[in-house]
């Protein structure tokens, strides 16, 4: 499929720092499309609001950029990495260091430098993307510190100090060597690439068990999908059977709607889909009637619900 | 013969002496961090204490139970009596170390743990609530008269929250 696509860049530029931190998440495998607009915006539109390029070019650029983000550094060079807040539920705070700054309420997109202290309250949850290779879910009543988040040569070194509470860690393989360790008052745990939970409390000391990888994955996907806005312009052409690139992208991404369950039982949804397919079939160029498609949010985390907020063909 | 009787009498009195002396702190974390806005600082201060006092235990448990923050210890104790955590005749000095039994009793009430046959007959008592929490894996092996450190209490509060969350997640 070759399609011209236009991507808004004003919003994306604000997140370029975040993108650099998070590019390693490409190794997750499930997020490639989400990085594409950011990459194209960086390279092709230093001053304009829109970038036009083929999807194939976009993907190639994205892969190139992602590979570059996780490249080994020259000998002796050190790169200080950051952490970014992906989700903040309940009450949680962070501050720059033990002796600097004051406690600040956590909000999504906050970036934390190495040395930052984190604390969560009761019934709270804080999700962080740390450096290029790790995601952390900080659970309730936790006190944590990030003393080290750094890349040295081909090694990503991260140290997390857990004073009390509980946190889920997921460390991804991004093509570099992972040196990830969690320090509690009674133990030090090191890991190369996996996921686990570390809990430390007064009753039983340090405990480890399986991480909630699905929850972490869902948080990552939700975070990335709400970062970007995709616009497909009227001049777009496709060599695919489905001339409408939005429909193609939708079905290519989330697949057709389920044949059973809540969606099919909904008459309104059925007629909506039937109507859209009919228009697709008879219209020589659907963009004549729908010049702008705005797929604002496709919740790919849960395919069964097909949570879609779109304009145009699916209105 | 008389020395033997004296030794036996002394030995029998020793456990009694141990049982009635409890640690008394000079103050409680709840004194300076009673407000809702100071909750982070309250938990941080509690976690650093070697023993959790009755005042801190009641403040923490009332917070977990979702009870409105009480302004002073008298109000907290009154609320605890209303909820059945403390019997009306029991004296709980403010800065005395809290008993595991008292904390366990409150925990069972918060989590609506009914227990087994004995607990259903006797109601919420420190002894059987402690045993029930040990059985459920919420507490490690303890006796009802023991004290708790601040870090242990904060850990227990986390477990109470986990248990509450698990119950809410059930269909």
């Amino acid at each position: 499929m070759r399609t011209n696509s236009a991507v808004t860049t004003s919003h994306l530029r604000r997140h370029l720092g975040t993108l650099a931190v998070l590019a390693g998440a490409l190794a997750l495998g499930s997020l490639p499309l989400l990085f594409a607009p950011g990459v194209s915006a960086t390279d092709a539109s230093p001053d304009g609001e829109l970038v036009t390029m083929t999807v194939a070019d976009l993907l190639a650029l994205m892969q190139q950029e992602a590979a570059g983000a996780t490249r080994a550094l020259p000998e002796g060079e050190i790169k200080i990495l950051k952490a970014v807040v992906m989700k903040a539920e309940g009450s949680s705070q962070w501050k720059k260091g033990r002796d600097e700054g004051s406690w600040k309420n956590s909000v999504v997109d906050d970036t934390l430098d190495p040395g930052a202290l984190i604390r969560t309250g009761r019934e709270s949850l804080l999700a962080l993307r740390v450096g290029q290779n790790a995601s952390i879910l900080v659970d309730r009543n936790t006190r944590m510190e990030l003393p080290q988040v750094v890349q040295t040569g081909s090694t990503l070194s991260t140290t997390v100090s857990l004073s009390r509470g509980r946190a889920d860690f997921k460390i991804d393989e991004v093509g570099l060597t992972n040196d990830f360790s969690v320090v509690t008052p009674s133990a030090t745990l090191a890991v190369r690439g996996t996921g686990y939970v570390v809990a430390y409390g007064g009753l039983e000391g340090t405990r480890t068990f399986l991480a909630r990888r699905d929850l972490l994955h869902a948080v990552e996907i939700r975070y990335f999908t709400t970062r970007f806005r995709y616009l497909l312009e009227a001049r777009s052409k496709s060599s695919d059977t489905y001339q409408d690139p939005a429909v193609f992208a939708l079905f290519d991404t989330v697949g057709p709607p389920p044949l059973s369950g809540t969606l099919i039982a909904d008459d309104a949804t059925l007629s909506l889909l039937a109507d859209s397919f009919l228009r697709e079939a008879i219209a020589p160029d659907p963009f004549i009637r729908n010049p702008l498609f705005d797929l604002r949010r496709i919740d790919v985390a849960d395919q069964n619900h097909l949570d879609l907020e779109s304009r145009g063909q699916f209105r | 013969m008389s020395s033997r009787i004296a030794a036996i009498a002394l030995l029998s009195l020793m456990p009694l002496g141990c049982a009635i002396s409890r640690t008394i702190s000079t103050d409680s974390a709840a004194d300076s961090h009673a407000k809702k806005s100071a909750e982070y600082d309250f938990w941080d201060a509690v976690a650093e204490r070697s023993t959790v006092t009755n005042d801190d235990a009641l403040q923490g448990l009332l917070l977990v139970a979702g009870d409105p923050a009480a302004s002073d210890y008298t109000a907290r104790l009154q609320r605890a009596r209303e909820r059945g955590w403390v019997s009306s005749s029991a004296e709980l000095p403010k800065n005395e170390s809290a008993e595991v039994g008292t904390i366990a009793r409150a925990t069972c009430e918060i989590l609506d743990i009914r227990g087994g046959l004995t607990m259903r007959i006797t109601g919420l008592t420190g002894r059987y609530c402690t045993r029930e929490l040990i059985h459920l894996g919420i507490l490690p092996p303890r006796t009802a008269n023991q004290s708790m450190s601040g870090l242990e209490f904060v850990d227990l509060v986390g477990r109470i929250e986990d248990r509450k969350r698990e119950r809410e997640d059930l269909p």
Side-chain angles (χ1 to χ4, degrees), chain A residues 91-93 119-123 139-141 143 164 166 200-204 207, chain B residues 36 39-41 43-44 47 63-64 140 151-152 154-156 158-159 161-162 165:
Chain A
S91 63
S92 56
Q93 297 182 326
R119 62 181 187 180
T120 56
R122 290 180 301 108
E123 297 173 8
D139 218 323
R140 81 287 180 279
N141 292 329
R143 302 294 180 267
R164 66 178 163 88
R166 190 173 69 178
Y200 179 79
L203 292 172
E204 288 178 272
R207 292 181 299 154
Chain B
K36 178 77 178 166
E39 198 180 323
Y40 280 116
D41 297 327
W43 291 116
D44 285 344
L63 283 171
V64 176
L151 195 58
E152 288 173 332
V154 174
D155 197 1
L156 176 68
R159 293 178 182 205
E161 272 190 43
D162 290 346
R165 194 163 55 187

mmCIF file of all heavy atoms in Angstrom, chain A residues 91-93 119-123 139-141 143 164 166 200-204 207, chain B residues 36 39-41 43-44 47 63-64 140 151-152 154-156 158-159 161-162 165:
data_model
loop_
_atom_site.group_PDB
_atom_site.id
_atom_site.type_symbol
_atom_site.label_atom_id
_atom_site.label_comp_id
_atom_site.label_asym_id
_atom_site.label_seq_id
_atom_site.Cartn_x
_atom_site.Cartn_y
_atom_site.Cartn_z
ATOM 1 N N SER A 91 -2.743 9.505 44.050
ATOM 2 C CA SER A 91 -1.819 10.587 44.388
ATOM 3 C C SER A 91 -0.389 10.078 44.409
ATOM 4 O O SER A 91 -0.087 9.057 45.028
ATOM 5 C CB SER A 91 -2.181 11.162 45.762
ATOM 6 O OG SER A 91 -2.025 10.182 46.746
ATOM 7 N N SER A 92 0.459 10.772 43.697
ATOM 8 C CA SER A 92 1.879 10.424 43.702
ATOM 9 C C SER A 92 2.678 11.701 43.498
ATOM 10 O O SER A 92 2.200 12.640 42.877
ATOM 11 C CB SER A 92 2.198 9.401 42.604
ATOM 12 O OG SER A 92 1.794 9.890 41.350
ATOM 13 N N GLN A 93 3.875 11.713 44.054
ATOM 14 C CA GLN A 93 4.716 12.902 43.975
ATOM 15 C C GLN A 93 6.151 12.513 43.645
ATOM 16 O O GLN A 93 6.553 11.380 43.851
ATOM 17 C CB GLN A 93 4.705 13.649 45.315
ATOM 18 C CG GLN A 93 3.337 14.169 45.719
ATOM 19 C CD GLN A 93 3.375 14.948 47.018
ATOM 20 O OE1 GLN A 93 4.153 14.635 47.917
ATOM 21 N NE2 GLN A 93 2.542 15.964 47.126
ATOM 22 N N ARG A 119 7.289 9.104 45.446
ATOM 23 C CA ARG A 119 6.479 8.510 46.514
ATOM 24 C C ARG A 119 5.026 8.458 46.063
ATOM 25 O O ARG A 119 4.525 9.377 45.415
ATOM 26 C CB ARG A 119 6.631 9.270 47.824
ATOM 27 C CG ARG A 119 6.176 10.714 47.816
ATOM 28 C CD ARG A 119 6.422 11.352 49.179
ATOM 29 N NE ARG A 119 5.871 12.687 49.280
ATOM 30 C CZ ARG A 119 5.956 13.457 50.370
ATOM 31 N NH1 ARG A 119 6.614 13.020 51.427
ATOM 32 N NH2 ARG A 119 5.416 14.651 50.402
ATOM 33 N N THR A 120 4.379 7.358 46.381
ATOM 34 C CA THR A 120 2.972 7.205 46.024
ATOM 35 C C THR A 120 2.148 7.082 47.302
ATOM 36 O O THR A 120 2.622 6.592 48.326
ATOM 37 C CB THR A 120 2.747 5.943 45.162
ATOM 38 O OG1 THR A 120 3.240 4.812 45.870
ATOM 39 C CG2 THR A 120 3.445 6.041 43.829
ATOM 40 N N GLY A 121 0.906 7.524 47.216
ATOM 41 C CA GLY A 121 0.013 7.452 48.356
ATOM 42 C C GLY A 121 -0.819 6.181 48.347
ATOM 43 O O GLY A 121 -0.556 5.257 47.563
ATOM 44 N N ARG A 122 -1.814 6.178 49.211
ATOM 45 C CA ARG A 122 -2.688 5.014 49.244
ATOM 46 C C ARG A 122 -3.513 4.959 47.962
ATOM 47 O O ARG A 122 -3.819 5.983 47.378
ATOM 48 C CB ARG A 122 -3.626 5.096 50.443
ATOM 49 C CG ARG A 122 -2.930 4.914 51.766
ATOM 50 C CD ARG A 122 -3.896 4.991 52.923
ATOM 51 N NE ARG A 122 -4.598 6.255 52.984
ATOM 52 C CZ ARG A 122 -5.885 6.414 52.684
ATOM 53 N NH1 ARG A 122 -6.606 5.384 52.302
ATOM 54 N NH2 ARG A 122 -6.456 7.589 52.774
ATOM 55 N N GLU A 123 -3.852 3.763 47.529
ATOM 56 C CA GLU A 123 -4.680 3.534 46.347
ATOM 57 C C GLU A 123 -4.174 4.337 45.153
ATOM 58 O O GLU A 123 -4.941 5.019 44.481
ATOM 59 C CB GLU A 123 -6.133 3.887 46.653
ATOM 60 C CG GLU A 123 -6.716 3.000 47.743
ATOM 61 C CD GLU A 123 -8.094 3.434 48.189
ATOM 62 O OE1 GLU A 123 -8.671 4.318 47.557
ATOM 63 O OE2 GLU A 123 -8.586 2.878 49.190
ATOM 64 N N ASP A 139 3.686 0.936 42.771
ATOM 65 C CA ASP A 139 2.404 0.638 43.423
ATOM 66 C C ASP A 139 2.175 1.536 44.636
ATOM 67 O O ASP A 139 2.970 2.402 44.945
ATOM 68 C CB ASP A 139 2.395 -0.846 43.836
ATOM 69 C CG ASP A 139 1.025 -1.459 43.634
ATOM 70 O OD1 ASP A 139 0.041 -0.759 43.870
ATOM 71 O OD2 ASP A 139 0.939 -2.637 43.256
ATOM 72 N N ARG A 140 1.080 1.279 45.366
ATOM 73 C CA ARG A 140 0.671 2.099 46.504
ATOM 74 C C ARG A 140 1.718 2.117 47.621
ATOM 75 O O ARG A 140 2.468 1.168 47.780
ATOM 76 C CB ARG A 140 -0.690 1.587 47.050
ATOM 77 C CG ARG A 140 -0.586 0.383 47.974
ATOM 78 C CD ARG A 140 -0.262 -0.887 47.248
ATOM 79 N NE ARG A 140 -0.157 -2.065 48.072
ATOM 80 C CZ ARG A 140 0.906 -2.410 48.779
ATOM 81 N NH1 ARG A 140 1.967 -1.663 48.798
ATOM 82 N NH2 ARG A 140 0.906 -3.526 49.471
ATOM 83 N N ASN A 141 1.719 3.234 48.359
ATOM 84 C CA ASN A 141 2.566 3.388 49.550
ATOM 85 C C ASN A 141 4.033 3.035 49.307
ATOM 86 O O ASN A 141 4.644 2.317 50.093
ATOM 87 C CB ASN A 141 2.052 2.493 50.683
ATOM 88 C CG ASN A 141 0.711 2.954 51.193
ATOM 89 O OD1 ASN A 141 0.415 4.132 51.178
ATOM 90 N ND2 ASN A 141 -0.113 2.014 51.636
ATOM 91 N N ARG A 143 8.059 4.158 48.354
ATOM 92 C CA ARG A 143 9.093 5.190 48.321
ATOM 93 C C ARG A 143 10.232 4.644 47.489
ATOM 94 O O ARG A 143 10.775 3.571 47.795
ATOM 95 C CB ARG A 143 9.579 5.523 49.736
ATOM 96 C CG ARG A 143 8.493 5.999 50.674
ATOM 97 C CD ARG A 143 7.902 7.334 50.257
ATOM 98 N NE ARG A 143 6.860 7.788 51.147
ATOM 99 C CZ ARG A 143 5.547 7.560 50.972
ATOM 100 N NH1 ARG A 143 5.122 6.870 49.937
ATOM 101 N NH2 ARG A 143 4.664 8.028 51.822
ATOM 102 N N ARG A 164 10.603 1.249 50.466
ATOM 103 C CA ARG A 164 9.481 0.426 50.932
ATOM 104 C C ARG A 164 8.385 0.456 49.887
ATOM 105 O O ARG A 164 8.362 1.346 49.021
ATOM 106 C CB ARG A 164 8.959 0.914 52.272
ATOM 107 C CG ARG A 164 8.331 2.274 52.273
ATOM 108 C CD ARG A 164 7.813 2.596 53.673
ATOM 109 N NE ARG A 164 7.562 4.001 53.865
ATOM 110 C CZ ARG A 164 6.426 4.606 53.593
ATOM 111 N NH1 ARG A 164 5.424 3.924 53.090
ATOM 112 N NH2 ARG A 164 6.271 5.898 53.801
ATOM 113 N N ARG A 166 6.136 -1.382 46.733
ATOM 114 C CA ARG A 166 6.173 -2.432 45.717
ATOM 115 C C ARG A 166 6.220 -1.809 44.331
ATOM 116 O O ARG A 166 5.604 -0.778 44.086
ATOM 117 C CB ARG A 166 4.910 -3.283 45.845
ATOM 118 C CG ARG A 166 4.930 -4.546 45.030
ATOM 119 C CD ARG A 166 3.740 -5.389 45.360
ATOM 120 N NE ARG A 166 2.501 -4.796 44.902
ATOM 121 C CZ ARG A 166 1.316 -5.371 45.039
ATOM 122 N NH1 ARG A 166 1.219 -6.534 45.646
ATOM 123 N NH2 ARG A 166 0.234 -4.796 44.586
ATOM 124 N N TYR A 200 9.134 -4.522 49.182
ATOM 125 C CA TYR A 200 9.873 -4.491 50.435
ATOM 126 C C TYR A 200 8.986 -3.891 51.522
ATOM 127 O O TYR A 200 8.375 -2.836 51.335
ATOM 128 C CB TYR A 200 11.162 -3.668 50.320
ATOM 129 C CG TYR A 200 11.902 -3.631 51.639
ATOM 130 C CD1 TYR A 200 12.671 -4.709 52.041
ATOM 131 C CD2 TYR A 200 11.763 -2.557 52.506
ATOM 132 C CE1 TYR A 200 13.307 -4.715 53.266
ATOM 133 C CE2 TYR A 200 12.405 -2.550 53.743
ATOM 134 C CZ TYR A 200 13.172 -3.633 54.113
ATOM 135 O OH TYR A 200 13.780 -3.654 55.333
ATOM 136 N N GLY A 201 8.891 -4.606 52.640
ATOM 137 C CA GLY A 201 8.086 -4.119 53.760
ATOM 138 C C GLY A 201 8.642 -4.645 55.057
ATOM 139 O O GLY A 201 9.535 -5.504 55.081
ATOM 140 N N GLY A 202 8.099 -4.142 56.145
ATOM 141 C CA GLY A 202 8.608 -4.543 57.452
ATOM 142 C C GLY A 202 8.237 -5.953 57.851
ATOM 143 O O GLY A 202 8.929 -6.584 58.644
ATOM 144 N N LEU A 203 7.148 -6.481 57.323
ATOM 145 C CA LEU A 203 6.662 -7.785 57.777
ATOM 146 C C LEU A 203 7.498 -8.951 57.257
ATOM 147 O O LEU A 203 7.797 -9.883 57.994
ATOM 148 C CB LEU A 203 5.201 -7.970 57.370
ATOM 149 C CG LEU A 203 4.194 -7.046 58.074
ATOM 150 C CD1 LEU A 203 2.812 -7.177 57.466
ATOM 151 C CD2 LEU A 203 4.140 -7.353 59.567
ATOM 152 N N GLU A 204 7.840 -8.895 55.955
ATOM 153 C CA GLU A 204 8.560 -10.037 55.392
ATOM 154 C C GLU A 204 9.796 -9.652 54.599
ATOM 155 O O GLU A 204 10.321 -10.458 53.837
ATOM 156 C CB GLU A 204 7.612 -10.863 54.517
ATOM 157 C CG GLU A 204 6.589 -11.645 55.325
ATOM 158 C CD GLU A 204 5.629 -12.418 54.447
ATOM 159 O OE1 GLU A 204 4.594 -11.848 54.058
ATOM 160 O OE2 GLU A 204 5.925 -13.580 54.159
ATOM 161 N N ARG A 207 10.559 -9.281 48.855
ATOM 162 C CA ARG A 207 9.886 -10.391 48.178
ATOM 163 C C ARG A 207 9.865 -10.104 46.685
ATOM 164 O O ARG A 207 9.801 -8.945 46.274
ATOM 165 C CB ARG A 207 8.442 -10.539 48.662
ATOM 166 C CG ARG A 207 8.327 -11.003 50.105
ATOM 167 C CD ARG A 207 6.867 -11.137 50.506
ATOM 168 N NE ARG A 207 6.176 -9.870 50.400
ATOM 169 C CZ ARG A 207 4.868 -9.753 50.194
ATOM 170 N NH1 ARG A 207 4.133 -10.829 50.045
ATOM 171 N NH2 ARG A 207 4.297 -8.568 50.125
ATOM 172 N N LYS B 36 -5.280 15.796 56.627
ATOM 173 C CA LYS B 36 -5.363 14.982 55.416
ATOM 174 C C LYS B 36 -4.254 15.369 54.437
ATOM 175 O O LYS B 36 -3.677 14.534 53.749
ATOM 176 C CB LYS B 36 -6.748 15.197 54.781
ATOM 177 C CG LYS B 36 -6.994 14.467 53.491
ATOM 178 C CD LYS B 36 -7.285 13.014 53.703
ATOM 179 C CE LYS B 36 -7.578 12.311 52.389
ATOM 180 N NZ LYS B 36 -7.549 10.863 52.521
ATOM 181 N N GLU B 39 -0.717 13.604 54.728
ATOM 182 C CA GLU B 39 -0.763 12.143 54.806
ATOM 183 C C GLU B 39 0.561 11.486 54.414
ATOM 184 O O GLU B 39 1.006 10.534 55.052
ATOM 185 C CB GLU B 39 -1.900 11.607 53.936
ATOM 186 C CG GLU B 39 -2.276 10.193 54.314
ATOM 187 C CD GLU B 39 -3.400 9.631 53.473
ATOM 188 O OE1 GLU B 39 -4.334 10.373 53.123
ATOM 189 O OE2 GLU B 39 -3.333 8.425 53.181
ATOM 190 N N TYR B 40 1.195 12.011 53.347
ATOM 191 C CA TYR B 40 2.495 11.459 52.949
ATOM 192 C C TYR B 40 3.478 11.516 54.119
ATOM 193 O O TYR B 40 4.172 10.548 54.417
ATOM 194 C CB TYR B 40 3.083 12.273 51.798
ATOM 195 C CG TYR B 40 2.537 11.947 50.435
ATOM 196 C CD1 TYR B 40 1.821 12.890 49.719
ATOM 197 C CD2 TYR B 40 2.781 10.720 49.839
ATOM 198 C CE1 TYR B 40 1.342 12.617 48.450
ATOM 199 C CE2 TYR B 40 2.311 10.427 48.580
ATOM 200 C CZ TYR B 40 1.588 11.387 47.884
ATOM 201 O OH TYR B 40 1.121 11.106 46.637
ATOM 202 N N ASP B 41 3.519 12.701 54.736
ATOM 203 C CA ASP B 41 4.476 12.896 55.836
ATOM 204 C C ASP B 41 4.123 12.004 57.029
ATOM 205 O O ASP B 41 5.008 11.529 57.733
ATOM 206 C CB ASP B 41 4.489 14.365 56.263
ATOM 207 C CG ASP B 41 4.964 15.263 55.135
ATOM 208 O OD1 ASP B 41 5.816 14.794 54.353
ATOM 209 O OD2 ASP B 41 4.477 16.390 55.023
ATOM 210 N N TRP B 43 2.758 8.973 56.915
ATOM 211 C CA TRP B 43 3.229 7.606 56.658
ATOM 212 C C TRP B 43 4.753 7.524 56.713
ATOM 213 O O TRP B 43 5.317 6.538 57.198
ATOM 214 C CB TRP B 43 2.724 7.103 55.299
ATOM 215 C CG TRP B 43 1.249 6.883 55.279
ATOM 216 C CD1 TRP B 43 0.338 7.541 54.518
ATOM 217 C CD2 TRP B 43 0.490 5.950 56.066
ATOM 218 N NE1 TRP B 43 -0.938 7.087 54.784
ATOM 219 C CE2 TRP B 43 -0.873 6.115 55.715
ATOM 220 C CE3 TRP B 43 0.819 5.008 57.026
ATOM 221 C CZ2 TRP B 43 -1.894 5.363 56.292
ATOM 222 C CZ3 TRP B 43 -0.190 4.256 57.606
ATOM 223 C CH2 TRP B 43 -1.525 4.436 57.230
ATOM 224 N N ASP B 44 5.410 8.564 56.199
ATOM 225 C CA ASP B 44 6.883 8.576 56.260
ATOM 226 C C ASP B 44 7.367 8.583 57.709
ATOM 227 O O ASP B 44 8.310 7.878 58.064
ATOM 228 C CB ASP B 44 7.439 9.807 55.523
ATOM 229 C CG ASP B 44 7.356 9.645 54.016
ATOM 230 O OD1 ASP B 44 7.169 8.506 53.550
ATOM 231 O OD2 ASP B 44 7.481 10.660 53.304
ATOM 232 N N ALA B 47 6.702 5.161 59.363
ATOM 233 C CA ALA B 47 7.605 4.106 58.882
ATOM 234 C C ALA B 47 8.960 4.143 59.570
ATOM 235 O O ALA B 47 9.657 3.128 59.635
ATOM 236 C CB ALA B 47 7.783 4.230 57.370
ATOM 237 N N LEU B 63 -7.691 6.072 58.361
ATOM 238 C CA LEU B 63 -7.432 6.539 56.996
ATOM 239 C C LEU B 63 -7.714 5.425 55.988
ATOM 240 O O LEU B 63 -8.350 5.644 54.963
ATOM 241 C CB LEU B 63 -5.974 7.001 56.853
ATOM 242 C CG LEU B 63 -5.608 8.365 57.433
ATOM 243 C CD1 LEU B 63 -4.099 8.561 57.408
ATOM 244 C CD2 LEU B 63 -6.276 9.481 56.633
ATOM 245 N N VAL B 64 -7.226 4.230 56.309
ATOM 246 C CA VAL B 64 -7.434 3.095 55.394
ATOM 247 C C VAL B 64 -8.912 2.740 55.302
ATOM 248 O O VAL B 64 -9.413 2.357 54.247
ATOM 249 C CB VAL B 64 -6.625 1.867 55.874
ATOM 250 C CG1 VAL B 64 -6.891 0.665 55.006
ATOM 251 C CG2 VAL B 64 -5.154 2.180 55.859
ATOM 252 N N PRO B 140 2.431 -12.217 59.261
ATOM 253 C CA PRO B 140 3.307 -13.361 59.566
ATOM 254 C C PRO B 140 3.039 -13.799 61.010
ATOM 255 O O PRO B 140 2.375 -13.075 61.755
ATOM 256 C CB PRO B 140 4.711 -12.769 59.399
ATOM 257 C CG PRO B 140 4.551 -11.313 59.582
ATOM 258 C CD PRO B 140 3.160 -10.953 59.179
ATOM 259 N N LEU B 151 7.431 0.383 60.266
ATOM 260 C CA LEU B 151 7.566 -0.168 58.912
ATOM 261 C C LEU B 151 6.637 -1.367 58.721
ATOM 262 O O LEU B 151 6.044 -1.556 57.656
ATOM 263 C CB LEU B 151 9.026 -0.573 58.673
ATOM 264 C CG LEU B 151 9.434 -0.822 57.228
ATOM 265 C CD1 LEU B 151 9.187 0.395 56.365
ATOM 266 C CD2 LEU B 151 10.895 -1.230 57.141
ATOM 267 N N GLU B 152 6.511 -2.178 59.789
ATOM 268 C CA GLU B 152 5.598 -3.326 59.716
ATOM 269 C C GLU B 152 4.149 -2.861 59.577
ATOM 270 O O GLU B 152 3.367 -3.419 58.798
ATOM 271 C CB GLU B 152 5.738 -4.187 60.972
ATOM 272 C CG GLU B 152 7.038 -4.970 61.033
ATOM 273 C CD GLU B 152 7.225 -5.678 62.372
ATOM 274 O OE1 GLU B 152 6.697 -5.191 63.392
ATOM 275 O OE2 GLU B 152 7.904 -6.704 62.392
ATOM 276 N N VAL B 154 3.077 -0.025 58.275
ATOM 277 C CA VAL B 154 2.864 0.512 56.925
ATOM 278 C C VAL B 154 2.720 -0.639 55.922
ATOM 279 O O VAL B 154 1.903 -0.586 55.001
ATOM 280 C CB VAL B 154 4.027 1.456 56.540
ATOM 281 C CG1 VAL B 154 3.907 1.900 55.094
ATOM 282 C CG2 VAL B 154 4.031 2.671 57.447
ATOM 283 N N ASP B 155 3.512 -1.679 56.117
ATOM 284 C CA ASP B 155 3.411 -2.863 55.251
ATOM 285 C C ASP B 155 2.025 -3.505 55.388
ATOM 286 O O ASP B 155 1.387 -3.876 54.395
ATOM 287 C CB ASP B 155 4.504 -3.863 55.641
ATOM 288 C CG ASP B 155 4.758 -4.910 54.564
ATOM 289 O OD1 ASP B 155 4.090 -4.837 53.512
ATOM 290 O OD2 ASP B 155 5.606 -5.792 54.771
ATOM 291 N N LEU B 156 1.555 -3.600 56.627
ATOM 292 C CA LEU B 156 0.234 -4.188 56.862
ATOM 293 C C LEU B 156 -0.862 -3.351 56.192
ATOM 294 O O LEU B 156 -1.784 -3.896 55.581
ATOM 295 C CB LEU B 156 -0.037 -4.303 58.365
ATOM 296 C CG LEU B 156 -1.429 -4.810 58.738
ATOM 297 C CD1 LEU B 156 -1.604 -6.271 58.330
ATOM 298 C CD2 LEU B 156 -1.702 -4.659 60.229
ATOM 299 N N GLY B 158 -0.571 -1.600 53.537
ATOM 300 C CA GLY B 158 -0.525 -1.923 52.105
ATOM 301 C C GLY B 158 -1.245 -3.221 51.803
ATOM 302 O O GLY B 158 -1.967 -3.337 50.813
ATOM 303 N N ARG B 159 -1.084 -4.190 52.678
ATOM 304 C CA ARG B 159 -1.745 -5.481 52.464
ATOM 305 C C ARG B 159 -3.260 -5.356 52.626
ATOM 306 O O ARG B 159 -4.023 -6.042 51.943
ATOM 307 C CB ARG B 159 -1.192 -6.520 53.439
ATOM 308 C CG ARG B 159 0.257 -6.851 53.145
ATOM 309 C CD ARG B 159 0.821 -7.836 54.126
ATOM 310 N NE ARG B 159 2.227 -8.095 53.825
ATOM 311 C CZ ARG B 159 2.854 -9.193 54.151
ATOM 312 N NH1 ARG B 159 2.232 -10.149 54.794
ATOM 313 N NH2 ARG B 159 4.116 -9.366 53.846
ATOM 314 N N GLU B 161 -4.929 -2.734 51.859
ATOM 315 C CA GLU B 161 -5.375 -2.115 50.598
ATOM 316 C C GLU B 161 -5.442 -3.141 49.469
ATOM 317 O O GLU B 161 -6.386 -3.150 48.679
ATOM 318 C CB GLU B 161 -4.402 -1.017 50.202
ATOM 319 C CG GLU B 161 -4.749 0.314 50.793
ATOM 320 C CD GLU B 161 -3.910 1.404 50.180
ATOM 321 O OE1 GLU B 161 -3.724 1.407 48.961
ATOM 322 O OE2 GLU B 161 -3.439 2.239 50.947
ATOM 323 N N ASP B 162 -4.420 -3.989 49.394
ATOM 324 C CA ASP B 162 -4.412 -5.027 48.354
ATOM 325 C C ASP B 162 -5.638 -5.914 48.488
ATOM 326 O O ASP B 162 -6.296 -6.269 47.508
ATOM 327 C CB ASP B 162 -3.149 -5.886 48.467
ATOM 328 C CG ASP B 162 -1.909 -5.120 48.069
ATOM 329 O OD1 ASP B 162 -2.055 -4.044 47.467
ATOM 330 O OD2 ASP B 162 -0.800 -5.601 48.374
ATOM 331 N N ARG B 165 -8.702 -4.187 47.354
ATOM 332 C CA ARG B 165 -8.720 -4.089 45.891
ATOM 333 C C ARG B 165 -9.114 -5.424 45.265
ATOM 334 O O ARG B 165 -9.885 -5.469 44.315
ATOM 335 C CB ARG B 165 -7.334 -3.655 45.406
ATOM 336 C CG ARG B 165 -7.303 -3.201 43.966
ATOM 337 C CD ARG B 165 -6.057 -2.415 43.666
ATOM 338 N NE ARG B 165 -4.838 -3.125 43.988
ATOM 339 C CZ ARG B 165 -3.623 -2.581 43.930
ATOM 340 N NH1 ARG B 165 -3.481 -1.348 43.600
ATOM 341 N NH2 ARG B 165 -2.561 -3.286 44.219
#
